[in-house]
Each structure stands twice: as structure tokens, then as C-alpha cells.
């Protein structure tokens, strides 16, 4: 009953009008445009993971398989830092438009690549744009939506994975088999352009809103951009170390990891690498769980095509199932935000991801039915769906107007750098074990990911409020 109706019936306690939702008139275009950008990112990610075995075979790039995934994540760190600082200075509109342009250029280079070197160049440019786009989009959300709607819009982002999850992997496999894998990249360009047409009204809405105080704008963080470049270079060096001989592999690999960790410290909130309570643990958990999950996922289609003779289209269905459970769990947690605590969501999610990775280990090590890993990966998607939106919401809840860009970029940097380091490490493991034959290289990669996943089990209880709950207000001092 509306308040007017209550007044007409003489009620003294009329029901208050419903609060506006993310699809109400004031937020409709912002929601459609933002979700459209998430949609294209999801489609590209799932499509590339599905067709990479074909790309690797066509361009003779098996030795650089992991780098094709880790490279974009590494350059994405640079894009995140630039976009975060840029957004804090003048708002997210210019960073978002620039990042989308870079994303398109990278897709075109990769789609037209005649060899693996050019393909990798396209992937690096693509990663630079994608990383910046994610951070700019987070700041758009922070500037447009009230805090009460953050859980809903991030759940909407997860739901935006549903359609590409249903058609993306399978469609990419079919296109690659019937025409060429080149068209998978070139086709995504069209999706990007359509998404930008949809997001323009949201940007106009933001431009007309309240702008940050000019005097309060931070200076360009040139030093932090330099640290981001160093971290990206270290990740690329870690990937390339697998091509060295003998003891040099271990020396270069250890040096690259140390340099990456030193370089990333100024890019994260204080105490992140020490897992201090509050925002630091939120950021660290995001990086570790991304490393474990995506370090496993990129090898699942490879395992299915190499060991079980699955077609590219059929192997992509494993990713489809996980993406659907991810979206479903995200939707559920968004409706349970007042009854399911963030700590419990993290605890359940980390356990589900670990079980999913162990199913991959068992499948590869004992040559079990591929249905074991496909079914197990459904659990992993559900676990990620419980955690990802909550981690995003908690990051913004720890942020102020002055550090939304920095904290959003820190979350994305942890996400990408964790995945990049994991992929680089699994690439080394895969190369070291390939001489054993069989599924041992896959089993080794999955075991490493399982060890990373196990390290996340104790972090869930540290994401809530505590002595470092106001870490965001301390400013970006490093870890």
C-alpha cells in the first residue's frame, strides 16, 4: 500500500516509498553502461581462455602460453595506477575513454597478428587498457551510486557475466574452428564500440554532477607509476625465465618475485603484505584468491583439449558452468548482505575454491573422468561469486572521495598481479615437467595453485573491522 493509499484509508503509519534501485530512472543508464563494459570484459576473458590452445598451436607459441595471460595482467598494473591517480585528480571520464581506446587497439593488434610476438604485443596493449578501464569503472560506481546500492551494482556486474558465460566460450570455439581464431579478437571490437555507445549517457550524468574540489586534487604520482612499471617488468621477467637453462631459471625467478613484491608495496595500502586487519586483508585476499583461481582456470581448457581430445567449443563449456555459478552466487550474496556476514562469505568461498582446485589436481594426477574437474569447477565459480562482490563493496566502504581511485586501483592491482605471478610460476612448473609426459605438467600447475588457495583459508576472518579498519584514511603509504 502506498503512502497516498494509507492516507486515504486513515492509516497513521503509511509505508515509506521504496528506496530507488540500480535500475531506477536516476541510475538506469549508469547501470546499463557499466554492466555493458563488464559484459565485454567477461566475453573477452572467457573467449581468449577458450581459444588459446588453438592460438598456441597455430603460432607455435607453446613456450609463451602462460605469458599470453600473465603479460596483459602485468601491463594492466600500469594502467591501474595511472587510471587510479588520474581519476582522483579529475574524475573517471577521461581515464575510462582512454582505457577503452587502448583496449580496442590491443584487440586489433592481436586479431591481425601473423606471429606470436605480434600477438603478445597486442595482448600487452590490451591489458594496459583493460586494467585502466576496471579502475575507472570502480570510481564511476563510487561517484554515482550511494553506498546502500554498492552491493547491488557489484552483484549486477557479476550477473553481467551470465550471457557471455552462456555463449562466450562455446561461440569463441565455434568461430575459431569454422573461420579463424583471429575473428574472435576482431569481433570483440564491435562489442566494445556498442558498449561505449551505451555508457555515454552515464558519463554525461557524471559530468553534470558534483566534481572534486580543484584544490584537493592530488599531484601526479610519478613515483608510483615507476613502481608499477618495475612490477610489470618483473612479472614479464619471471615469465621469460622459463626459457633459460639450468640454475639460471631459479636465480632469475626468485629475483623477479622479490622485485615484484618490493615494487608493489607503494601501490597498496599500509600493511597489505602483512595481512593487517581491515582493508589490507581485503586487498591481499583478492590477490591470492585470484592467483589460485585463474592460475588453474587457464589450464583447464588446455588439459581437456590435450589429454581428453575435447574440441575448443566443448572445452569452453567448463568455463561456462563456473561463470554461471559465479554469477548465481553473486546474486544470492547480494540478497543476503544483511544476513550473511562478509567474514562467513569469505570462509565459505575460500573453501569452495580450494575444493575446486583439488578436483583439477585429482583429475590430472590420476587421469580421472574430465567430468570431475568440470563438476569441481562449478564449486570454484560459486566460491568466487560469494567473495568478489563483497571484496569490492568492502574496498569502497573503507574509502573516501580522495582515495577511491587509489584503493580501487590497489584492489585491481592485487587482483592482476596475483594472477600474473601465479601464471608466470605455473608456466615455469609446466615447462619443467613437460619432459615427464602425460598429464604431469598440468598436475604440477594445479598443485601450485592449490597451495596458494590453501594460504587464503585464514584470511577470511581478517577482512572485518579492527585496528586497521580505517586503513583507507591513512593514505597510500605502501605495505
Amino acid at each position: 500500500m502506498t503512502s497516498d493509499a494509507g492516507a486515504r484509508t486513515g492509516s497513521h503509519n503509511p509505508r515509506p516509498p521504496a528506496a530507488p534501485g540500480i535500475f531506477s530512472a536516476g541510475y538506469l543508464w549508469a547501470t546499463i553502461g557499466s554492466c555493458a563494459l563488464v559484459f565485454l570484459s567477461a566475453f573477452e576473458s572467457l573467449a581468449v581462455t577458450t581459444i588459446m590452445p588453438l592460438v598456441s598451436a597455430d603460432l607455435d607459441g607453446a613456450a609463451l602460453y602462460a605469458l599470453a595471460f600473465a603479460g596483459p595482467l602485468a601491463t594492466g598494473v600500469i594502467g591501474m595506477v595511472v587510471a587510479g591517480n588520474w581519476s582522483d585528480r579529475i574524475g573517471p571520464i577521461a581515464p575510462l575513454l582512454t582505457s577503452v581506446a587502448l583496449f580496442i587497439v590491443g584487440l586489433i593488434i592481436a586479431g591481425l597478428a601473423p606471429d606470436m610476438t605480434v600477438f603478445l604485443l597486442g595482448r600487452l596493449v590490451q591489458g594496459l587498457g583493460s586494467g585502466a578501464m576496471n579502475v575507472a569503472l570502480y570510481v564511476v560506481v563510487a561517484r554515482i551510486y550511494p553506498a546502500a546500492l554498492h552491493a547491488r551494482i557489484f552483484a549486477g556486474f557479476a550477473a553481467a557475466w551470465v550471457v557471455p558465460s552462456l555463449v562466450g566460450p562455446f561461440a569463441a570455439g565455434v568461430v575459431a574452428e569454422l573461420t579463424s581464431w583471429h575473428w574472435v579478437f576482431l569481433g570483440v571490437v564491435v562489442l566494445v564500440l556498442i558498449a561505449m555507445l551505451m555508457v555515454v549517457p552515464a558519463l554525461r550524468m557524471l559530468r553534470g554532477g558534483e566534481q572534486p574540489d580543484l584544490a584537493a586534487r592530488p599531484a601526479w604520482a610519478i613515483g608510483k607509476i615507476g613502481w608499477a612499471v618495475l612490477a610489470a617488468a618483473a612479472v614479464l621477467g619471471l615469465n621469460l625465465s622459463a626459457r633459460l637453462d639450468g640454475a639460471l631459471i631459479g636465480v632469475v625467478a626468485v629475483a623477479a618475485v622479490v622485485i615484484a613484491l618490493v615494487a608493489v608495496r607503494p601501490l597498496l595500502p599500509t600493511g597489505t603484505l602483512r595481512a593487517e586487519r581491515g582493508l589490507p586483508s581485503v586487498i591481499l585476499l583478492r590477490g591470492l584468491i585470484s592467483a589460485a583461481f585463474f592460475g588453474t582456470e587457464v589450464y583447464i581448457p588446455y588439459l581437456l583439449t590435450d589429454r581428453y581430445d575435447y574440441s575448443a567449443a566443448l572445452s569452453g563449456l567448463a568455463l561456462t558452468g563456473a561463470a554461471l555459478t559465479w554469477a548465481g552466487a553473486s546474486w544470492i550474496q547480494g540478497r543476503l548482505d544483511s544476513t550473511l556476514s562478509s567474514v562467513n562469505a569469505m570462509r565459505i568461498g575460500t573453501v569452495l575454491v580450494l575444493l575446486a582446485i583439488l578436483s583439477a589436481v585429482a583429475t590430472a594426477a590420476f587421469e580421472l573422468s574430465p567430468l570431475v574437474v568440470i563438476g569441481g569447477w562449478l564449486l570454484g565459480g560459486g566460491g568466487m561469486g560469494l567473495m568478489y562482490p563483497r571484496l569490492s563493496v568492502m574496498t569502497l566502504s573503507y574509502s573516501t572521495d580522495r582515495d577511491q581511485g587509489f584503493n580501487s586501483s590497489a584492489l585491481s592491482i592485487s587482483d592482476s598481479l596475483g594472477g600474473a605471478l601465479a601464471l608466470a610460476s605455473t608456466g615455469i612448473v609446466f615447462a619443467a615437467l613437460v619432459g615427464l609426459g602425460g598429464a604431469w605438467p598440468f598436475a604440477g600447475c594445479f598443485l601450485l595453485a592449490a597451495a596458494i588457495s590453501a594460504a587464503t583459508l585464514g584470511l577470511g576472518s581478517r577482512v572485518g573491522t579492527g585496528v586497521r579498519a580505517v586503513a583507507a584514511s591513512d593514505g597510500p603509504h605502501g605495505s
Side-chain angles (χ1 to χ4, degrees):
M1 181 180 296
T2 66
S3 58
D4 289 341
R8 288 194 298 269
T9 58
S11 171
H12 296 292
N13 296 297
R15 182 177 301 172
I22 60 174
F23 289 104
S24 61
Y27 304 112
L28 178 62
W29 282 111
T31 298
I32 293 176
S34 299
C35 288
L37 289 175
V38 174
F39 171 94
L40 70 92
S41 179
F43 185 92
E44 184 274 337
S45 175
L46 292 165
V48 172
T49 304
T50 300
I51 66 168
M52 267 308 299
L54 294 180
V55 177
S56 176
D58 186 36
L59 301 182
D60 192 23
L64 299 174
Y65 184 88
L67 182 57
F69 293 100
L73 294 177
T75 55
V77 171
I78 302 173
M80 291 166 194
V81 174
V82 173
N85 185 249
W86 197 358
S87 296
D88 283 339
R89 294 189 75 242
I90 65 170
I93 297 176
L96 183 60
L97 294 176
T98 303
S99 64
V100 171
L102 285 172
F103 188 68
I104 290 175
V105 171
L107 287 172
I108 293 174
I109 294 174
L112 299 176
D115 54 51
M116 196 65 176
T117 301
V118 176
F119 178 80
L120 287 175
L121 174 62
R123 291 287 287 160
L124 295 177
V125 174
Q126 183 184 340
L128 186 66
S130 179
M133 182 172 64
N134 288 337
V135 171
L137 193 57
Y138 270 52
V139 180
V140 167
V141 169
R143 299 284 172 86
I144 289 180
Y145 298 89
L149 292 181
H150 286 171
R152 294 296 178 89
I153 186 60
F154 283 121
F157 284 0
W161 281 71
V162 171
V163 174
S165 300
L166 286 171
V167 303
F170 183 77
V174 170
V175 170
E177 291 171 0
L178 296 181
T179 58
S180 168
W181 59 263
H182 298 271
W183 286 107
V184 176
F185 289 91
L186 298 176
V188 175
V189 172
V190 178
L191 293 177
V192 178
L193 295 175
I194 293 174
M196 279 310 301
L197 290 176
M198 298 174 70
V199 82
V200 164
L203 298 181
R204 289 174 178 170
M205 169 185 171
L206 186 61
R207 183 178 288 115
E210 183 179 355
Q211 295 298 314
D213 183 2
L214 296 179
R217 289 178 178 176
W220 270 103
I222 302 299
K224 288 184 172 57
I225 296 174
W227 285 117
V229 172
L230 181 60
V235 171
L236 296 177
L238 180 59
N239 276 270
L240 295 175
S241 68
R243 309 186 73 181
L244 300 176
D245 296 324
L248 278 178
I249 296 178
V251 173
V252 173
V254 171
V257 171
V258 171
I259 292 173
L261 293 178
V262 170
V264 80
R265 288 182 72 253
L267 310 179
L268 304 176
T270 303
T272 298
L273 299 183
R274 298 191 300 271
E276 293 189 9
R277 188 175 295 276
L279 180 64
S281 287
V282 170
I283 301 297
L284 181 60
L285 178 57
R286 181 68 163 253
L288 289 177
I289 204 65
S290 297
F293 185 84
F294 295 112
T296 302
E297 186 175 64
V298 298
Y299 283 98
I300 289 178
Y302 200 172
L303 173 70
L304 295 176
T305 56
D306 184 72
R307 303 303 304 168
Y308 295 95
D309 294 325
Y310 273 40
S311 66
L314 192 57
S315 68
L317 293 179
L319 308 185
T320 296
L324 289 174
T325 55
W326 183 323
S330 297
W331 182 86
I332 292 172
Q333 68 79 33
R335 298 303 182 272
L336 298 178
D337 58 323
S338 60
T339 56
L340 177 65
S341 70
S342 294
V343 170
N344 285 334
M346 298 305 114
R347 287 171 175 168
I348 296 171
T350 52
V351 169
L352 291 177
V353 171
L354 177 58
L355 291 176
I357 297 174
L358 290 177
S359 75
V361 173
T363 301
F366 303 109
E367 299 184 347
L368 303 179
S369 167
L371 295 179
V372 174
V373 66
I374 293 173
W377 212 235
L378 297 176
L379 294 177
M384 296 296 281
L386 285 177
M387 291 185 287
Y388 250 57
R390 290 294 181 96
L391 292 170
S392 300
V393 171
M394 284 187 286
T395 298
L396 292 185
S397 71
Y398 285 125
S399 304
T400 67
D401 288 343
R402 292 197 63 185
D403 56 20
Q404 288 166 347
F406 173 80
N407 290 341
S408 296
S409 69
L411 184 70
S412 297
I413 286 168
S414 181
D415 199 345
S416 290
L417 193 62
L421 289 173
L423 287 167
S425 301
T426 54
I428 294 174
V429 170
F430 194 93
L433 298 179
V434 73
L436 298 178
W440 285 109
F442 298 101
C445 292
F446 297 150
L447 276 172
L448 176 59
I452 298 172
S453 180
T456 68
L457 295 179
L459 283 177
S461 61
R462 302 188 62 79
V463 299
T465 28
V467 294
R468 297 296 298 174
V470 291
S473 64
D474 296 341
H477 302 307
S479 303

